[in-house]
Amino acid sequence: MLKKVLTVKNIGRFRDYSATGNTELMRLTLVLADNGRGKTTTGDILRSLRSADPAPILGRTTLGATGKPEVSLRFETENIGFTGGAWSKPYPNLCIYDTVFIHENVFAGDCVDHTHKKNLYSVIVGEEGVKLARVVEDFDRKIKDANRDVGDRKSEVERQVPDGVALKTFLALPKNESVEARIGEKEKELSATQNAGQIKAKPVLKSISLPTLPDTFLGVMAKTLEDVTRDVEITVRKHLAEHTNGARESWVGEGMTLIKDGTCPFCQQRLQGSEVIEAYSSFFGKTYGQLKQEIEQQNALVESTFSRRNLLELQKAISANNELISFWREFATLVEPVISFEADVEEPFTKLHAAAEGVGKRKKAAPLETLERDAEFVAGQAAYAAAQVTLSRYNEMVAVVNNLINAKKAATAAADPTKVKSDLVSLKAAMKRHEAGVDSKCVAYQAALLAKDQLEEKKAAAKVALDTHSEKVFDKYQKEINVLLKKFGAGFKLSDAKRSYVGGTPSSTYQIVINGHCVDLGDDSTPASKPSFRNTLSSGDKNTLALAFFLAQIEHDPRRADKIVIFDDPFTSQDRYRRTCTQQLITRLAGIVKQVIVLSHDAAFLKLVWDNAGIVPVKVLQIVRADGDSVTINECDIEAESKAVYLRNYEKMLIFSREGKGDLGDVVKCIRPFLEGWFRLRYPGNFSETEWLGDFIGKIRGADTTSSLHAAKGMLEELSAVNDYSKKYHHEQTPGSITEPLNDTELATFVNRTLALVGN
């Protein structure tokens, strides 16, 4: 229990307070304080103490103070202090009902938003529920962090995923050791489908063959004449050897064709009877001419077979095949036939041609000689035979390639380019997926996903435990709230109170039942044309609901006997007929909790609580002005203070007007409540307890001739002037309040004008 406020320094109006006199608090402590005297500051000090959060105190540091905020409070067994910006320890068993509780947990302005629903949830489920909810919230925070981690790692992976491939598919792609080779094949297949027209029209390769030496060539080269006698041959050869300088048979044979009229073309001698001429005639006769003709034919045939034209045709054929191979290798994997024109064709071709040509020339020069193959010819034949073997192998490969080409032609004609392209994308994605840097990113992303899933499973289990607790508590809580609302005489009740996970964390929601109709809470975006919390409850009803929530929280707290409960103006903004109910609930609460502290500016209400305290020890204190604008805490005579506020304000102004006596700050604060009380008495039923002097002026200004307020229109100008002056000093949060010094002459003028307004 809080026994005494020992010191409060440099916090709000408490510039340098130290306890004096009998200011010890009791189980039920009532504190009277006008607005602007420090009730809200006291609430903030205790709120700061509850969690040891220095912010509420630091935010209330007295403006212009040179010292640091200090607080010292005496409890039953120890003192707890605030110095150096920190509390010596927290005191969590504090429950505070004030505008902060209302605005944080029930509503702000006219609306209930998600923050209110979330905070009220904690109020309803109590400490056990809050612990369970914190577990859920902790998992929720971890999941949010995990989601950020998943998002970051997902982005890293997505940057690696090829266009057209789903992330899930990309992650699941298996490793394939032969993927590069398959990509190459698929790229060729795709190229083929995209060039189907060309492929269809493109020819296959051609076989290459070497021309062959005429079969009759060697036979003619070895041929001689059987009808020429051996003696004739000896004679001819001897004559040529003895009488010519190496003349060949062909020279003589040709010369024999030039003889005319039997006369020697050289010496003009008659040749008839010449033994040599007869031998020549026999040797170079008709058969000899035929042999020479055959030799000429064979030589011509060799030249035709091994012509430059034929060699160029072979070169063109090989070049054409090479060009086709260059084309087809783009669309198919080929075992390419290889041959060198120069080494494998031209060289053996030329070699055999030269050897055959040499043999032919020698035979032509000595037609009757039997010419056998010389070394050059043998070498030429061997090279040519080797070339033919090479070409045979080449042609075998050409046949294999042509089979592949024909298969590719058929496959291309039947292929679906879209399917081939899709397969290629998948293969490239598979290769990309298992690159070292990419694979590590994928593994990290999958691990992050798994961690998030595990957190979500744990959160789901925690939610089950919380939901089980919430279902029990919400039903009891709703019943308790409705009992309290009935005691307050409220024309509404709650329905369908339950927990919600909208927004990810536990929150509460409920409906208001008015005249049997359920009304949703709505929010600040709910249109004015739709019934909601904002437009179906009066200001007094909303504050009554907030007080009911607070009281129900205390009622259902299993540790309520250890709690100190603080009320800051619990009756403010409620309808007057709820005064007694509020007092009864507070005095009842004083009997079941450790301590109740009620701060109020309404002396009559505190007197009502004091009168009905029963056997509970009660103490009444008062926060009043001390030196300057500072305040202090004194004992309070509630009997005297509860005298009619209207009359007390009147007496203070009258004494100040007549005698110039009284505290200027107290006097200026009497003007507005005095006028409000006078108008309520003079025009009963026109002004509610929640309306103030500014509201009164607005109603008078808008009154028509049928309204009783119409008679007060003549006072508007003067009433507005007094209102404009007095409002500067009525609330400490009003801009310009207190900081604008009071002038006694000016104050006396407006006090006299106020008294004149009411006919004094």
Side-chain angles (χ1 to χ4, degrees):
M1 187 165 71
L2 178 60
K3 300 295 290 183
K4 182 175 280 191
V5 179
L6 298 175
T7 59
V8 182
K9 297 181 179 181
N10 302 313
I11 304 175
R13 292 294 184 84
F14 292 95
R15 286 185 173 271
D16 189 15
Y17 168 75
S18 294
T20 58
N22 185 12
T23 56
E24 187 170 329
L25 283 67
M26 306 295 286
R27 183 166 185 174
L28 175 59
T29 299
L30 310 178
V31 182
L32 178 65
D34 289 338
N35 292 326
R37 284 289 185 267
K39 296 192 305 297
T40 304
T41 300
T42 302
D44 283 339
I45 291 172
L46 296 176
R47 180 174 290 101
S48 174
L49 170 63
R50 182 170 59 188
S51 60
D53 178 9
I57 287 181
L58 298 178
R60 285 272 176 184
T61 301
T62 302
L63 298 177
T66 57
K68 300 293 185 181
E70 293 183 26
V71 180
S72 179
L73 304 174
R74 180 185 297 163
F75 287 85
E76 290 175 298
T77 60
E78 61 182 335
N79 289 354
I80 299 178
F82 181 91
T83 57
W87 285 98
S88 57
K89 65 180 295 185
Y91 191 93
N93 288 330
L94 293 171
C95 301
I96 304 170
Y97 177 80
D98 58 2
T99 55
V100 175
F101 172 87
I102 296 172
H103 294 163
E104 286 184 351
N105 300 291
V106 187
F107 67 91
D110 290 327
C111 300
V112 179
D113 62 24
H114 181 70
T115 300
H116 296 128
K117 295 176 182 179
K118 186 171 69 173
N119 293 343
L120 184 59
Y121 179 87
S122 299
V123 171
I124 294 173
V125 298
E127 290 184 11
E128 180 183 353
V130 168
K131 290 178 182 178
L132 294 172
R134 283 175 181 166
V135 173
V136 175
E137 289 177 358
D138 184 54
F139 279 125
D140 189 62
R141 283 191 295 272
K142 290 179 179 178
I143 289 170
K144 287 180 180 178
D145 292 339
N147 278 328
R148 281 192 292 272
D149 186 42
V150 167
D152 292 342
R153 298 188 182 279
K154 181 180 179 181
S155 296
E156 291 179 354
V157 175
E158 284 179 331
R159 286 193 287 269
Q160 309 299 326
V161 179
D163 292 340
V165 179
L167 176 60
K168 185 176 181 181
T169 302
F170 182 75
L171 291 169
L173 289 171
K175 190 172 185 179
N176 188 330
E177 299 296 341
S178 61
V179 68
E180 289 190 54
R182 292 185 62 191
I183 288 173
E185 293 172 0
K186 193 60 67 174
E187 285 177 336
K188 290 179 178 180
E189 184 178 353
L190 177 61
S191 180
T193 60
Q194 293 171 337
N195 295 274
Q198 279 185 285
I199 288 174
K200 182 179 180 181
K202 209 72 171 177
V204 296
L205 277 63
K206 291 183 178 180
S207 297
I208 307 297
S209 60
L210 289 172
T212 58
L213 193 67
D215 294 338
T216 57
F217 177 75
L218 291 177
V220 171
M221 295 301 108
K223 190 175 182 179
T224 185
L225 298 179
E226 296 179 358
D227 56 344
V228 177
T229 64
R230 181 64 180 165
D231 291 341
V232 171
E233 182 180 356
I234 291 171
T235 299
V236 170
R237 294 189 184 281
K238 180 179 179 183
H239 179 78
L240 290 174
E242 293 176 351
H243 299 285
T244 66
N245 187 21
R248 290 185 174 274
E249 296 171 2
S250 58
W251 177 79
V252 178
E254 185 177 354
M256 288 298 293
T257 62
L258 299 176
I259 296 173
K260 183 178 180 181
D261 299 330
T263 302
C264 175
F266 291 100
C267 65
Q268 293 296 312
Q269 294 183 22
R270 296 293 294 178
L271 298 177
Q272 187 173 3
S274 173
E275 182 180 350
V276 173
I277 293 302
E278 288 180 0
Y280 282 168
S281 296
S282 176
F283 190 84
F284 297 107
K286 182 178 179 181
T287 304
Y288 179 79
Q290 290 176 344
L291 177 58
K292 285 182 64 178
Q293 187 177 2
E294 287 183 20
I295 292 171
E296 289 291 344
Q297 289 175 345
Q298 290 301 314
N299 285 337
L301 192 57
V302 166
E303 288 303 316
S304 173
T305 300
F306 293 95
S307 67
R308 186 65 183 171
R309 179 179 178 181
N310 285 349
L311 186 61
L312 290 175
E313 288 295 327
L314 288 171
Q315 186 179 25
K316 286 172 61 178
I318 291 172
S319 296
N321 278 357
N322 288 338
E323 288 179 6
L324 287 171
I325 288 169
S326 295
F327 172 82
W328 287 112
R329 72 162 63 100
E330 294 183 16
F331 310 110
T333 302
L334 306 175
V335 180
E336 300 178 8
V338 179
I339 193 168
S340 169
F341 169 73
E342 290 79 5
D344 297 328
V345 176
E346 184 178 28
E347 185 178 332
F349 182 96
T350 303
K351 194 171 186 179
L352 182 58
H353 177 211
E357 187 178 43
V359 171
K361 286 181 178 179
R362 291 195 300 276
K363 182 65 175 177
K364 182 178 179 181
L368 296 180
E369 291 183 6
T370 300
L371 295 181
E372 300 294 337
R373 296 181 300 167
D374 57 11
E376 181 185 0
F377 188 84
V378 170
Q381 277 191 312
Y384 208 66
Q388 287 176 319
V389 171
T390 300
L391 275 176
S392 177
R393 292 172 182 167
Y394 174 80
N395 289 334
E396 288 175 1
M397 294 304 300
V398 166
V400 171
V401 169
N402 285 343
N403 287 336
L404 292 173
I405 290 172
N406 289 327
K408 177 58 66 176
K409 283 175 174 282
T412 301
D416 178 3
T418 303
K419 175 65 167 56
V420 176
K421 188 178 293 184
S422 176
D423 292 344
L424 180 59
V425 169
S426 295
L427 287 170
K428 287 184 176 180
M431 183 171 69
K432 185 71 175 178
R433 164 64 180 83
H434 293 282
E435 290 179 1
V438 177
D439 183 62
S440 62
K441 288 181 173 64
C442 292
V443 170
Y445 171 55
Q446 290 170 319
L449 281 174
L450 178 61
K452 186 193 73 132
D453 291 343
Q454 291 173 341
L455 286 172
E456 287 179 340
E457 289 178 5
K458 292 177 180 179
K459 178 184 174 181
K463 283 176 67 175
V464 170
L466 178 59
D467 291 346
T468 301
H469 174 78
S470 298
E471 287 174 6
K472 296 177 182 177
V473 172
F474 267 85
D475 183 59
K476 293 180 180 179
Y477 202 85
Q478 178 175 294
K479 289 178 180 177
E480 179 65 24
I481 290 288
N482 286 334
V483 168
L484 289 169
L485 291 175
K486 188 174 182 180
K487 288 180 178 179
F488 280 119
F492 65 94
K493 63 179 182 179
L494 299 192
S495 174
D496 198 27
K498 59 186 178 182
R499 62 105 184 96
S500 169
Y501 286 104
V502 173
T505 54
S507 62
S508 62
T509 184
Y510 54 91
Q511 290 181 314
I512 301 165
V513 181
I514 302 175
N515 298 330
H517 294 278
C518 292
V519 178
D520 290 330
L521 295 177
D523 54 32
D524 57 1
S525 65
T526 303
S529 58
K530 182 179 179 180
S532 65
F533 179 91
R534 177 166 55 187
N535 55 22
T536 56
L537 295 183
S538 68
S539 178
D541 284 338
K542 292 170 185 173
N543 283 283
T544 297
L545 177 61
L547 181 58
F549 274 125
F550 181 81
L551 293 171
Q553 172 194 19
I554 304 300
E555 189 68 31
H556 287 278
D557 189 340
R559 298 179 57 226
R560 64 187 181 185
D562 298 325
K563 297 299 173 71
I564 298 175
V565 182
I566 299 97
F567 293 94
D568 180 2
D569 271 331
F571 187 65
T572 299
S573 298
Q574 291 199 64
D575 297 320
R576 284 185 176 274
Y577 64 86
R578 291 170 180 160
R579 176 191 296 267
T580 301
C581 179
T582 304
Q583 165 263 307
Q584 290 173 344
L585 292 170
I586 288 175
T587 51
R588 176 185 176 276
L589 191 62
I592 60 176
V593 299
K594 177 172 284 190
Q595 186 178 28
V596 172
I597 301 172
V598 183
L599 299 99
S600 179
H601 71 282
D602 190 335
F605 175 71
L606 292 180
K607 175 67 164 52
L608 184 63
V609 177
W610 184 76
D611 286 338
N612 292 276
I615 62 173
V616 176
V618 61
K619 182 65 173 283
V620 183
L621 300 174
Q622 186 174 18
I623 303 176
V624 296
R625 183 187 296 275
D627 296 333
D629 59 356
S630 182
V631 295
T632 188
I633 302 173
N634 295 331
E635 284 190 277
C636 177
D637 183 351
I638 195 63
E639 294 277 3
E641 290 293 337
S642 61
K643 188 177 181 181
V645 174
Y646 171 73
L647 292 177
R648 284 196 295 113
N649 289 334
Y650 173 73
E651 289 175 357
K652 286 182 181 181
M653 288 192 297
L654 191 61
I655 292 171
F656 183 76
S657 174
R658 291 177 178 177
E659 303 175 19
K661 295 180 180 179
D663 181 271
L664 300 185
D666 286 340
V667 174
V668 77
K669 288 181 180 294
C670 293
I671 295 175
R672 290 170 64 84
F674 170 74
L675 287 172
E676 289 164 358
W678 185 85
F679 272 99
R680 284 193 175 95
L681 292 172
R682 179 68 178 79
Y683 301 98
N686 283 286
F687 309 110
S688 72
E689 292 291 336
T690 62
E691 292 178 314
W692 313 110
L693 188 56
D695 301 314
F696 292 11
I697 293 171
K699 281 192 171 184
I700 294 170
R701 185 173 285 114
D704 58 24
T705 55
T706 63
S707 171
S708 60
L709 293 178
H710 189 265
K713 284 199 170 188
M715 306 171 66
L716 275 174
E717 183 177 351
E718 188 68 1
L719 184 61
S720 297
V722 172
N723 179 55
D724 289 341
Y725 169 76
S726 63
K727 68 183 180 182
K728 294 184 292 183
Y729 307 100
H730 194 63
H731 295 291
E732 66 176 347
Q733 66 268 34
T734 301
S737 66
I738 303 306
T739 58
E740 184 174 335
L742 283 165
N743 179 275
D744 56 352
T745 302
E746 182 181 41
L747 176 59
T749 299
F750 277 97
V751 166
N752 291 334
R753 291 172 71 174
T754 300
L755 295 173
L757 272 171
V758 299
N760 190 314

